[in-house]
């Protein structure tokens, strides 16, 4: 017999406002405990020194994590002039110093070079694996880490605030795989200055925004009153870019059994009009609840991920 999972069969998303100096893994553990959930995971690591949006999936929502990993993100970060560190943030040791303090006009003139599809070399202190080892582990061990450049997409970049001559705050919107610390490093180098990220906040991941975010303190307080479900978002929250298709109860039953269903021509045309270029993924819904993620092929929906939810999302 299969071993019964410990905890409750809770399913949904929590839009967590991660505090400073907490790892993403620790944040997931605390959210899981607050719900006494059987299963939990997160969509996109946020460094301990960063704050902001960390979407955490519980139960069946963990099946939608890959879709949110690919979502666009937004960041607000402060670049401190004068000192470059080994990690390009406030945690690393100083490796260079400079008296150069770029002006706002100089920064604004340089930012267009960081918008669009750009080539970016990830920082050596990153989670990228090199021969099976994390780059940051190799770097901390004193090894020279050389990472290959990769193409990332930055949708926008702007100056948000200038607290003083030693700091400038920027906001960017970007695609997956973009390193804010690399942007800070390259921007400072372009302007002939030294600099590092002194503060970093993620303000959006896909459809997860600061407006729907909750703190750990609030979540744990609600847990003491058994009210934590008030901040639980539906499983399909992570699927806002995927077209939905309502299916019958009979077809929902077939999909849950892993069998494909046939679409009528008008359904095919409706879905095709809403699919993103190169995508075949469709979210099958029944009674307002996601039943399965499917691939549309030759007028049929073939289930790739099946969900076991009731109308309450549990």
């Amino acid at each position: 017999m299969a071993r019964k999972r410990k905890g409750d069969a809770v399913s949904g998303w929590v839009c967590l406002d991660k505090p400073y100096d907490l790892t993403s893994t620790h944040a997931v553990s605390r959210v899981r405990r607050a719900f006494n959930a059987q299963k939990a995971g997160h969509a996109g690591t946020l460094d301990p020194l960063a704050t902001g949006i960390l979407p955490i999936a519980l139960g069946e929502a963990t099946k939608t994590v890959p879709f949110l990993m690919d979502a666009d993100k937004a960041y607000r970060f402060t670049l401190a002039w004068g000192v470059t560190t080994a990690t390009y943030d406030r945690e690393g040791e100083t490796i260079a110093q400079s008296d150069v303090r770029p002006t706002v006009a100089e920064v604004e003139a340089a930012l267009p070079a960081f918008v669009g599809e750009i080539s970016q070399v990830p920082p050596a202190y990153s989670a990228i694996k090199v021969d099976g080892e994390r780059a940051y582990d190799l770097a901390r061990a004193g090894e020279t880490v050389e990472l290959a450049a990769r193409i990332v997409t930055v949708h926008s970049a702007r100056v948000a605030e200038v607290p003083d001559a030693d700091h400038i705050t920027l906001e960017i919107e970007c695609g997956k795989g973009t390193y804010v610390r690399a942007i800070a490093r390259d921007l400072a180098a372009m302007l002939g200055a030294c600099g590092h990220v002194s503060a970093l906040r993620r303000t959006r991941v896909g459809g997860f925004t600061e407006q729907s975010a909750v703190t750990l303190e609030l979540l744990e307080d609600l847990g003491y009153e058994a009210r934590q479900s008030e901040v639980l978002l539906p499983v399909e929250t992570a699927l806002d870019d995927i077209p939905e298709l309502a299916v019958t109860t009979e077809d929902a039953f077939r999909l849950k059994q892993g069998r494909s269903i046939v679409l009528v021509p008008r359904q095919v045309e409706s879905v095709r009009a809403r699919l993103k270029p190169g995508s075949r993924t469709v979210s099958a819904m029944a009674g307002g609840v996601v039943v399965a993620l499917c691939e549309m092929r030759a007028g049929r929906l073939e289930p790739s991920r099946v969900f076991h939810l009731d109308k309450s999302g549990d």
Side-chain angles (χ1 to χ4, degrees):
M1 293 177 62
R3 181 181 298 175
K4 185 177 180 181
R5 286 181 177 273
K6 293 182 179 179
D8 299 328
V10 180
S11 292
W13 282 93
V14 175
C15 182
L16 183 69
D17 189 339
K18 189 190 82 66
Y20 177 81
D21 206 20
L22 183 74
T23 67
S24 296
T25 300
H26 191 189
V28 170
S29 296
R30 288 179 62 176
V31 171
R32 182 177 181 176
R33 284 199 301 271
F35 282 88
N36 190 35
Q38 293 178 349
K39 187 166 53 174
H42 66 76
T45 301
L46 200 55
D47 290 342
L49 301 185
T51 66
I53 305 303
L54 179 66
I56 295 180
L58 301 175
E60 292 291 279
T62 57
K63 296 177 182 178
T64 66
V65 165
F67 295 91
L68 201 57
M69 296 286 281
D70 291 340
D72 288 341
K73 301 172 178 65
Y75 296 91
R76 180 183 177 94
F77 66 98
T78 298
L79 203 164
W81 301 119
V83 172
T84 298
T85 67
T87 56
Y88 303 109
D89 61 21
R90 61 192 296 178
E91 185 180 36
E93 64 181 47
T94 298
I95 58 174
Q97 297 186 63
S98 169
D99 293 329
V100 176
R101 299 294 185 272
T103 65
V104 175
E106 289 172 331
V107 173
E108 290 179 332
L111 283 180
F114 296 89
V115 177
E117 289 193 349
I118 64 172
S119 177
Q120 183 183 79
V121 177
Y125 287 83
S126 64
I128 294 172
K129 286 192 174 183
V130 179
D131 296 329
E133 300 285 339
R134 297 290 185 186
Y136 54 66
D137 287 332
L138 297 174
R140 286 169 184 155
E143 295 188 31
T144 299
V145 179
E146 294 185 4
L147 299 176
R150 54 180 62 187
I151 300 298
V152 298
T153 302
V154 178
H155 302 297
S156 66
R158 73 177 193 91
V159 175
E161 186 183 5
V162 185
D164 52 55
D166 293 325
H167 299 85
I168 190 166
T169 300
L170 307 174
E171 291 179 342
I172 68 166
E173 294 194 356
C174 58
K176 67 174 182 177
T178 305
Y179 280 90
V180 170
R181 287 177 293 136
I183 289 178
R185 173 199 66 201
D186 297 342
L187 177 61
M190 179 179 286
L191 296 172
C194 289
H196 67 277
V197 175
S198 61
L200 172 62
R201 180 170 179 79
R202 189 158 65 190
T203 57
R204 182 176 67 84
V205 178
F208 292 80
T209 65
E210 291 178 297
Q211 286 68 41
S212 59
V214 295
T215 64
L216 274 173
E217 289 73 21
L218 173 59
L219 181 59
E220 290 171 343
D221 286 346
L222 289 173
Y224 295 134
E225 302 173 21
R227 294 171 51 210
Q228 66 270 45
S229 61
E230 293 177 12
V231 298
L232 191 64
L233 302 172
V235 169
E236 56 267 24
T237 306
L239 307 175
D240 61 346
D241 285 342
I242 297 174
E244 296 180 357
L245 181 67
V247 298
T248 65
T249 302
E250 183 182 348
D251 281 344
F253 181 75
R254 290 180 62 89
L255 291 171
K256 284 188 174 185
Q257 290 185 315
R259 296 186 290 165
S260 64
I261 62 172
V262 179
L263 303 181
V264 299
R266 62 178 175 79
Q267 289 177 311
V268 173
E269 291 306 312
S270 172
V271 170
R272 279 180 179 163
R274 292 176 287 141
L275 283 173
K276 295 175 69 174
S279 174
R280 296 174 179 266
T281 305
V282 179
S283 180
M285 308 286 292
V289 176
V290 61
V291 172
L293 288 172
C294 309
E295 298 294 303
M296 189 172 79
R297 301 179 187 278
R300 304 176 72 90
L301 285 189
E302 300 176 357
S304 54
R305 287 182 176 86
V306 173
F307 300 93
H308 301 284
L309 301 164
D310 61 25
K311 291 189 177 181
S312 68
D314 294 335

